[in-house]
Amino acid sequence: MADVLLLLGTALCVLSVLSAIISVLRTQAPRPAAILLCLGIAVLVVAAVIEPGSVGFDQIGAAFGRVFG
């Protein structure tokens, strides 16, 4: 479960960066990007609470392999 949450939180944070870039290019406030970033961080916190030590840059590849491999 923590692996899925780690991948979901990472995906939401990456989407927030893309949303922020699009919002700035369209000269709009990056509100959706802020919401996505907050949701992504919240999901990562839940993953860290469920399984301590499961959140980190080096665990992303291993979690991807366990979920999809």
Side-chain angles (χ1 to χ4, degrees), residues 39-69:
L39 287 174
I41 291 172
V43 170
L44 289 174
V45 167
V46 170
V49 168
I50 288 175
E51 190 175 327
S54 66
V55 177
F57 288 113
D58 51 341
Q59 282 88 8
I60 293 173
F64 190 82
R66 286 189 297 267
V67 171
F68 296 110

Side-chain angles (χ1 to χ4, degrees), residues 15-41:
L15 285 175
S16 75
V17 171
L18 296 175
S19 178
I21 291 170
I22 291 169
S23 294
V24 168
L25 289 175
R26 294 174 67 187
T27 63
Q28 295 176 344
R31 289 183 193 102
I35 292 170
L36 285 173
L37 183 64
C38 291
L39 287 174
I41 291 172

